[in-house]
Amino acid sequence: MSTRKPTLALVGATGAVGTVMLELLSTRQDVWGEIRLIASARSAGKKLVVRGEEVEVVALSEECFEGVDVAMFDVPDEVSAQWAPIAAAKGAVAVDNSGAFRMDPEVPLVVPEVNPAAARIRPRGIISNPNCTTLSMVVALGALHAELGLRELVVSSYQAASGAGQPGIDALREQIEKVSGSTTLGTQPGDVRRAVGDFGPFPAPLALNVVPWAGSLKEDGWSSEELKVRNESRKILGLPDLKVSATCVRVPVVTTHSLAVHAVFENDVTVARAHEILAEAPGVVLCDDPANGEFPTPADVVGTDPTWVGRVRQALDFPNTLEMFMCGDNLRKGAALNTAQIAELVAAELAAQAEEA
């Protein structure tokens, strides 16, 4: 006797992350029955291809969630804050990719390779997906922590323009076009600013530049992105007192975040042992042969699912400390893929419950 496959709703199907999600739903193992595509009223009526079939986008409403088992949200915080509880009230498990619920103590923050069991404990019927910067490193750090005991973390991120959504991508491409014809720009103070003109969603030109800012301003000069790295890492790893300091920098890369990570552990650590752990860790690719120029870069990692790790070194002046460089596609594992993996955990849970019934 066959078991009914769960019904999935994708809210935000027409956005940048939603587009990647459609690809993932068409290429990953198919655990879903009906898939409903939901977006704002202005996108209603569009037809998008998922699993090789055209599906019409419907406008977001309470009725959209009737009969839905799992609802994935790839929308701004304020939309998720309003509609994820509505989906949950209709009986769906809401898997949210926004920042609306990440630090809610009644909402688990889940990375399936690190803390999959947390997805089963969801008092509000909502599961949260971490920030893309945190996700780009925590898969690898989770594997190292399980063996070595993570104690302190100092991170510098190099974040892609797509972290600011489609406006970030558009702004970077427009800026590149404006500066590409010059052989002198970048040699005088302010010349890039004048040539670029419109900075888009960034506080300074991104082309021919790096911008030491991502997110919104918080207390004492910290940015929201920097605090997310700290707070979310603590919650995912189950280390509420983990010492974390982060500096988030925007770089002229379209997609894929990178991080320089200084990680201090409780136990003795060697590069050889770290290599063994990382080589066996699910969702991680070890790429670490600097003698032959092999280490991760965003241009090589973009479009792939794992976290790539290289430049693994024992810190010279700090015991039990590793220095590493990591890259992860912020639209795939950093957003769409992790959301899909969480939803698949729930689908498997629902299937198991149906078999027991």
Side-chain angles (χ1 to χ4, degrees), residues 284-308:
V284 175
V285 171
L286 179 65
C287 177
D288 194 15
D289 185 6
N292 290 303
E294 294 183 4
F295 33 72
T297 73
D300 299 312
V301 168
V302 65
T304 68
D305 291 338
T307 294
W308 294 65

Side-chain angles (χ1 to χ4, degrees), residues 29-288:
Q29 181 180 356
D30 188 8
V31 300
W32 305 108
E34 179 189 356
I35 295 180
R36 300 179 191 175
L37 304 184
I38 302 170
S40 63
R42 67 177 179 274
S43 296
K46 286 185 178 180
K47 291 187 177 180
L48 302 175
V49 176
V50 59
R51 298 186 296 188
E53 298 179 1
E54 278 195 344
V55 177
E56 185 172 324
V57 176
V58 298
L60 180 59
S61 68
E62 290 192 23
E63 291 71 29
C64 292
F65 301 108
E66 296 288 348
V68 169
D69 298 292
V70 180
M72 298 193 297
F73 285 80
D74 291 309
V75 292
D77 291 13
E78 61 274 13
V79 180
S80 284
Q82 177 183 353
W83 287 96
I86 292 173
K90 290 284 187 179
V93 177
V95 183
D96 180 42
N97 188 39
S98 82
F101 304 100
R102 287 176 185 150
M103 300 315 298
D104 186 324
E106 293 190 312
V107 175
L109 187 63
V110 175
V111 180
E113 296 90 343
V114 180
N115 62 339
R120 290 178 172 269
I121 306 170
R122 42 179 192 268
R124 297 189 61 185
I126 301 170
I127 304 171
S128 199
N129 192 58
N131 174 261
C132 53
T133 313
T134 307
L135 265 169
S136 295
M137 69 170 185
V138 79
V139 176
L141 285 177
L144 292 168
H145 167 62
E147 295 285 336
L148 303 171
L150 185 63
R151 194 177 72 202
E152 298 177 15
L153 194 59
V154 180
V155 179
S156 294
S157 72
Y158 307 89
Q159 296 180 215
S162 57
Q166 191 62 44
I169 297 173
D170 294 342
L172 176 59
R173 293 201 183 280
E174 290 168 8
Q175 291 179 25
I176 290 172
E177 186 173 349
K178 289 178 180 177
V179 304
S180 62
S182 172
T183 58
T184 60
L185 281 174
T187 62
Q188 298 294 326
D191 61 354
V192 175
R193 283 180 176 267
R194 290 187 293 272
V196 165
D198 183 3
F199 303 158
F202 311 115
L206 194 56
L208 300 181
N209 204 17
V210 297
V211 181
W213 189 260
S216 57
L217 180 63
K218 300 299 181 182
E219 192 174 354
D220 296 328
W222 293 97
S223 79
S224 57
E225 287 284 306
E226 291 159 349
L227 295 181
K228 287 174 187 176
V229 171
R230 177 177 183 262
N231 297 333
E232 294 178 19
S233 296
R234 289 175 159 189
K235 186 173 180 178
I236 295 163
L237 296 172
L239 296 172
D241 298 320
L242 179 67
K243 295 180 179 180
V244 183
S245 184
T247 299
C248 292
V249 180
R250 193 76 71 181
V251 296
V253 168
V254 175
T255 297
T256 294
H257 290 348
S258 304
L259 304 102
V261 176
H262 172 99
V264 184
F265 297 94
E266 298 283 355
N267 300 323
D268 292 341
V269 54
T270 65
V271 170
R273 180 63 185 133
H275 275 181
E276 290 175 358
I277 295 168
L278 293 167
E280 296 174 0
V284 175
V285 171
L286 179 65
C287 177
D288 194 15

